[in-house]
Amino acid sequence: MNTDDLRRSVMAALAKITHPGSGLDLVAGGHVQNVAVDEDGVARFQFLLRPEDPSDLVKEARGTVEALPGIKGAKINVQLPQMQPPGGGGRRGGLKPGSVPAPTPKPGILKNVRHVIAVSSGKGGVGKSMVAANLAAAFAKGGQRVGLLDADIYGPNIPLMFGVSRRPSVVGEKGKEMIEPLEAHGVRLMSLGFLLDKEQPAIMRGPLISGVLKQFLEQVAWGPLDVMVVDMPPGTGDAQLSLVQSIDLDGAVMVTTPQEVSTGDVRRGIKMFERVNTRVLGIVENMSGLVCPHCSEPIDVFGSGGGEALATEMKVPFLGRVPLDPAVRQAGDAGTPSVLSAPTSGAGAALDQIAEKVRHTLAALVG
Ligand SMILES: Nc1ncnc2c1ncn2[C@@H]1O[C@H](COP(=O)(O)OP(=O)(O)OP(=O)(O)O)[C@@H](O)[C@H]1O
Ligand SMILES: [Mg+2]
């Protein structure tokens, strides 16, 4: 089948899915736009998701399209009406069919990045930055070119976890300046926290006022990367949503603790990603039991296993458990993530295995 026939079969399949609210199919109802299939058999289209729409509608569309013969994958650009820039012509209350705006282009600079993943959580303090730092370090250890973006504006956490206290510098001639990422342990680092730093040149603080993340990312001289890891700020509010929207994410890793599993936060986090059609690559249960500092035997302090049960419940992969481990704190103090400084420790070994699973999942992605 050529790409034109494939495109027609995608349209036909989408026209068989009925919106439970309106009773119209996805094509007639104006939910899908700009359907195309590229040479590799990857279907691409825009999906307009209104706030009142069931969040599994996109999932259903993806499942249907991906099951078609000849289709290798689907890249769906989900548009949320409330996320449109101001001045869009009073679109509150839903866009009319046919009025879906053009997709936001992938930030220019991220064209050189093969995969972008986010590390996220429902609550703060569960070990997101620790997991993000170790994933990045483990990928770099495996020979990949890795960037790590600290998307928390309240302080450059990540550079400190890599033992870097320098500020980034600005290079290039006037008008074409670029921000040079910091580098440690083979990982290129940047933190949105630098934007708030009064010591920085205006080029770094400007994006805070307009455009924020996308503009900032375009000004960082990342160079070609195999994978960029984004350490997200905690929570599932608007800031997180617009972050997810402005980067073309391949997927998200959710970090939780045994105690947090029982709260709704992590579930809300997973749903947020599903709603904007970002694949949840899996759940990591952190602070799962304690490694005895004397005998290295695991001790179950808060209980464990909740993360796995949650993964089953939410139908997402379970990536593994990371024990509470003194090696993690020592790694933080020393500025070297534990997969590098203590790869055989309980936490180091667990994190290495988790990174391996994520690497596998990413390698299997198409599009
Ligand atoms: N498995 C672990 N064993 C021991 N200490 C840990 C472990 N995981 C995280 N920590 C420690 O817990 C603290 C919080 O971790 P981290 O900063 O990674 O959390 P976070 O989710 O990024 O927090 P925030 O929401 O503030 O960004 C850090 O001091 C970290 O060293
Ligand atoms: Mg953090």
Side-chain angles (χ1 to χ4, degrees):
M1 254 197 278
N2 65 28
T3 52
D4 229 37
D5 293 337
L6 285 172
R7 180 184 169 280
R8 270 192 287 276
S9 81
V10 170
M11 290 289 280
L14 292 169
K16 289 209 184 93
I17 301 175
T18 309
H19 188 288
S22 68
L24 292 173
D25 71 67
L26 294 183
V27 178
H31 280 277
V32 294
Q33 298 270 316
N34 300 337
V35 178
V37 178
D38 66 22
E39 294 293 331
D40 303 331
V42 177
R44 295 172 196 270
F45 53 92
Q46 285 167 249
F47 195 112
L48 173 67
L49 192 68
R50 302 180 186 93
E52 63 275 19
D53 293 337
S55 55
D56 51 7
L57 212 53
V58 181
K59 220 173 173 179
E60 191 180 346
R62 171 187 285 282
T64 304
V65 169
E66 287 186 337
L68 291 170
I71 297 293
K72 302 268 161 36
K75 274 268 180 182
I76 308 175
N77 184 335
V78 177
Q79 309 270 334
L80 301 178
Q82 73 270 31
M83 301 299 299
Q84 300 312 319
R91 283 177 173 148
R92 198 179 295 255
L95 294 176
K96 284 202 209 70
S99 62
V100 179
T104 355
K106 200 166 185 176
I109 223 74
L110 293 185
K111 281 197 194 116
N112 286 332
V113 180
R114 184 160 337 139
H115 294 297
V116 186
I117 64 170
V119 179
S120 186
S121 68
K123 274 216 184 98
V126 298
K128 252 184 330 299
S129 300
M130 186 281 289
V131 170
N134 277 286
L135 284 180
F139 295 153
K141 186 165 76 168
Q144 291 192 289
R145 293 166 300 180
V146 186
L148 177 52
L149 175 72
D150 179 357
D152 197 335
I153 59 166
Y154 297 108
N157 254 320
I158 286 285
L160 293 179
M161 294 175 95
F162 279 73
V164 183
S165 55
R166 286 194 314 283
R167 315 274 93 178
S169 49
V170 174
V171 294
E173 52 191 273
K174 204 166 163 51
K176 292 185 190 158
E177 296 113 317
M178 295 289 280
I179 306 162
E180 189 119 282
L182 304 167
E183 184 152 353
H185 309 302
V187 178
R188 293 180 199 158
L189 309 163
M190 189 48 63
S191 175
L192 288 190
F194 292 132
L195 294 174
L196 287 183
D197 188 334
K198 297 268 185 302
E199 309 286 302
Q200 292 300 337
I203 174 188
M204 309 252 314
R205 281 180 286 118
L208 244 200
I209 303 150
S210 61
V212 191
L213 186 74
K214 193 167 148 263
Q215 219 180 323
F216 181 60
L217 286 180
E218 282 170 352
Q219 290 172 344
V220 177
W222 293 105
L225 296 179
D226 295 305
V227 53
M228 162 142 25
V229 181
V230 183
D231 177 22
M232 297 277 289
T236 52
D238 285 352
Q240 289 76 13
L241 245 188
S242 61
L243 263 178
V244 173
Q245 295 251 296
S246 53
I247 322 175
D248 192 2
L249 284 180
D250 290 287
V253 170
M254 293 298 294
V255 182
T256 185
T257 61
Q259 303 98 297
E260 201 216 350
V261 167
S262 56
T263 73
D265 298 293
V266 59
R267 283 180 183 77
R268 260 194 294 284
I270 293 172
K271 291 209 175 104
M272 174 187 85
F273 283 112
E274 286 184 345
R275 192 164 168 78
V276 292
N277 194 40
T278 296
R279 197 184 304 259
V280 175
L281 299 168
I283 295 178
V284 172
E285 183 180 295
N286 186 33
M287 309 195 188
S288 166
L290 171 75
V291 175
C292 173
H294 306 293
C295 66
S296 298
E297 280 296 306
I299 309 168
D300 210 359
V301 192
F302 304 113
S304 61
E308 193 161 11
L310 180 71
T312 310
E313 177 200 322
M314 304 294 288
K315 301 192 177 60
V316 297
F318 181 64
L319 294 171
R321 279 181 250 288
V322 182
L324 263 171
D325 188 334
V328 169
R329 194 186 41 77
Q330 286 153 13
D333 292 348
T336 308
S338 10
V339 291
L340 302 176
S341 61
T344 57
S345 66
L351 287 157
D352 250 338
Q353 279 176 23
I354 290 166
E356 189 54 38
K357 282 191 189 164
V358 173
R359 196 164 28 216
H360 255 93
T361 313
L362 289 178
L365 290 183
V366 281

